[in-house]
Amino acid sequence: MLLKLIKFAAVCVAFIAGVSHAAAHGERAQEPYLRTRTVQFYDVHFSKTDVKVNERFELTGKFRLMQDWPDAVTPPDIVFLSSISPGPTIARVETYLNGEPARQSFAGLELGRDYEFRMVLEGRTPGSSHIHPSISIKGSGPLVGPGQWVNISGEAHSFAFPIKTMTGLQIEDLQTFGLAHAVGWHLAWLAVAAAWLSFWLARPLILPRWLVLQKGREDLLISLRDTGAGIIVAAIVLVMVFGGYVRASAEYPYNVPLQSGLNRVAPLPASPAYVEIKVISATYDVPGRSMRLATQITNKGSEPLSIGELTTANIRFLNQSLPVAMADVDPSYPRDLIARTGLKLSSDTPINPGETKEVRVEATDAVWELERLVSFLTDVDSKFGGLLLLYAPNGERVIAEMGGPIVPVFTELK
């Protein structure tokens, strides 16, 4: 027996010792249809990637709710904008969606439309933290944007979150505000519970009471003393509840309840439909780690347009021969989400106004494998989605949604 206990303890110690630090949030475990056809983040910018404890930085960007929303995912009827970090390493100070405060969830967001967000964050726990913007969909869960490593330096104990309430009360540190009250109330309730439990534990317990029940003398189970003790405890509980309420109301006469309503916000103004994209065929070459698209692109605008980028699942495939596309990459954008090999096109010549042109688009990179986006074969919905970014000579950018069924192949198609 002792030997078994030692073995069990050894297994537990080995398991605990073998647990490594989790540095990501499982975004790579999400299926490709979920990451390519729901929310496409773009123009994401981190104002700083090295901050100190108590130092603020901003996370800004835009996202599009894809028109071809997968049937297997709950529609974004109710969403909540937030950030994701590995534990409480940052504090979220302010959040805005299209310039409106985003303290609550939003309803009525439209598919096929764009939204702009801004978050003010503050370093809290020293270390290197992987920070994402996040859109949580009721019924589906969070969908994360590109994650960036943010280094937080300083001492954890120096963090403080001071605020000033609407009534003028200055709170020096919100994370410890009211802590003594909370501890005191917990101790008070624990004392009442312990007294009540001790009262019954001091009396005959299971076997004697079972014998009484067997003899049909339930009347002996509850004595007058028991009834009196019950009344006293009930009175104490009522006094504590109502007394606590009266005391809290007197100390804090003005308070705001938790906000549970929904906000509504209009999307960003719709861009003119300058471009129409038809995906003729789409394949994913599994051994070649390459997505190949045969597209038919129609320029309905008044300026010639050049293809500059394909972005999907936060991965950016850039046309490296187009300077304006390369210049559009924010220095703070995660480098691991930019495909090194870029975007290859069958034709680099611009698409003239009114022209319809067939273009083969090839996005080849190991990042498909690294980001675990290669499971199109086993996906319940073998379709893809993404945004194609085109540029006019004057630098104007046109964003067009594209997508459709995709077929995995194991040899290069000629």
Side-chain angles (χ1 to χ4, degrees), residues 182-205:
V183 173
W185 278 107
H186 277 78
L187 292 176
W189 286 114
L190 284 173
V192 173
W196 179 246
L197 190 60
S198 300
F199 174 80
W200 288 103
L201 288 176
R203 302 175 65 76
L205 286 177

Side-chain angles (χ1 to χ4, degrees), residues 261-290:
L262 299 174
N263 282 339
R264 295 182 182 273
V265 63
L268 295 176
S271 302
Y274 287 151
V275 176
E276 183 177 289
I277 303 176
K278 179 180 180 182
V279 177
I280 301 173
S281 67
T283 60
Y284 180 75
D285 182 1
V286 178
R289 298 168 176 174
S290 178

Side-chain angles (χ1 to χ4, degrees), residues 58-224:
E58 290 194 2
L59 173 54
T60 58
K62 299 175 182 174
F63 64 86
R64 173 171 295 192
L65 299 176
M66 297 292 282
Q67 186 70 47
D68 187 24
W69 192 272
D71 296 332
V73 182
T74 304
D77 296 329
I78 298 178
V79 306
F80 183 73
L81 172 65
S82 183
S83 61
I84 289 183
S85 62
T89 59
I90 58 170
R92 188 159 54 90
V93 183
E94 301 173 15
T95 309
Y96 299 91
L97 184 63
N98 283 3
E100 296 191 12
R103 296 183 293 267
Q104 303 163 239
S105 297
F106 285 86
L109 271 60
E110 301 177 26
L111 297 181
R113 300 298 296 271
D114 298 83
Y115 297 85
E116 185 172 21
F117 64 88
R118 182 171 79 89
M119 285 180 268
V120 180
L121 309 173
E122 188 170 315
R124 182 175 181 180
T125 305
S128 186
S129 297
H130 206 224
I131 311 296
H132 299 260
S134 165
I135 304 294
S136 295
I137 311 292
K138 183 180 181 181
S140 296
L143 302 168
V144 300
Q148 177 61 285
W149 290 100
V150 176
N151 299 312
I152 304 172
S153 59
E155 300 293 336
H157 62 78
S158 64
F159 176 78
F161 202 114
I163 65 166
K164 188 174 184 179
T165 67
M166 290 186 291
T167 59
L169 175 64
Q170 180 65 40
I171 297 175
E172 299 302 330
D173 191 358
L174 188 61
Q175 64 179 346
T176 57
F177 178 70
L179 184 60
H181 284 73
V183 173
W185 278 107
H186 277 78
L187 292 176
W189 286 114
L190 284 173
V192 173
W196 179 246
L197 190 60
S198 300
F199 174 80
W200 288 103
L201 288 176
R203 302 175 65 76
L205 286 177
I206 301 175
L207 188 56
R209 301 178 74 83
W210 178 76
L211 292 174
V212 171
L213 286 174
Q214 293 300 310
K215 294 180 179 179
R217 295 298 306 275
E218 293 89 344
D219 56 304
L220 297 178
L221 292 178
I222 305 297
S223 65
L224 290 176

Side-chain angles (χ1 to χ4, degrees), residues 165 167 169 177-178 180-181 185 243-255:
T165 67
T167 59
L169 175 64
F177 178 70
H181 284 73
W185 278 107
Y245 173 78
V246 172
R247 182 177 181 277
S249 298
E251 189 171 354
Y252 307 104
Y254 303 103
N255 52 73

Side-chain angles (χ1 to χ4, degrees), residues 218-396:
E218 293 89 344
D219 56 304
L220 297 178
L221 292 178
I222 305 297
S223 65
L224 290 176
R225 181 186 175 193
D226 299 337
T227 305
I231 293 174
I232 292 174
V233 171
I236 292 174
V237 170
L238 291 175
V239 169
M240 290 177 65
V241 171
F242 287 102
Y245 173 78
V246 172
R247 182 177 181 277
S249 298
E251 189 171 354
Y252 307 104
Y254 303 103
N255 52 73
V256 178
L258 291 175
Q259 302 297 292
S260 58
L262 299 174
N263 282 339
R264 295 182 182 273
V265 63
L268 295 176
S271 302
Y274 287 151
V275 176
E276 183 177 289
I277 303 176
K278 179 180 180 182
V279 177
I280 301 173
S281 67
T283 60
Y284 180 75
D285 182 1
V286 178
R289 298 168 176 174
S290 178
M291 177 182 283
R292 300 188 180 94
L293 311 173
T295 64
Q296 188 179 75
I297 303 175
T298 301
N299 182 356
K300 296 183 175 180
S302 58
E303 297 287 338
L305 295 173
S306 299
I307 299 174
E309 178 182 343
L310 169 65
T311 179
T312 181
N314 302 322
I315 303 173
R316 304 177 68 173
F317 294 89
L318 301 165
N319 182 358
Q320 298 175 357
S321 63
L322 191 66
V324 66
M326 298 301 293
D328 204 22
V329 179
D330 189 281
S332 72
Y333 197 84
R335 296 292 106 177
D336 58 326
L337 294 178
I338 298 178
R340 294 183 179 181
T341 52
L343 189 67
K344 293 183 180 179
L345 306 171
S346 60
S347 172
D348 259 341
T349 57
I351 306 170
N352 294 314
E355 181 185 8
T356 297
K357 188 175 182 178
E358 292 191 359
V359 182
R360 288 185 63 85
V361 179
E362 183 174 317
T364 304
D365 199 276
V367 70
W368 290 111
E369 186 76 35
L370 295 174
E371 290 294 317
R372 299 183 181 178
L373 287 166
V374 299
S375 57
F376 289 109
L377 181 63
T378 57
D379 223 335
V380 297
D381 192 353
S382 295
K383 297 174 70 177
F384 82 101
L387 299 178
L388 198 65
L389 280 58
L390 302 97
Y391 294 85
N394 59 6
E396 181 185 3

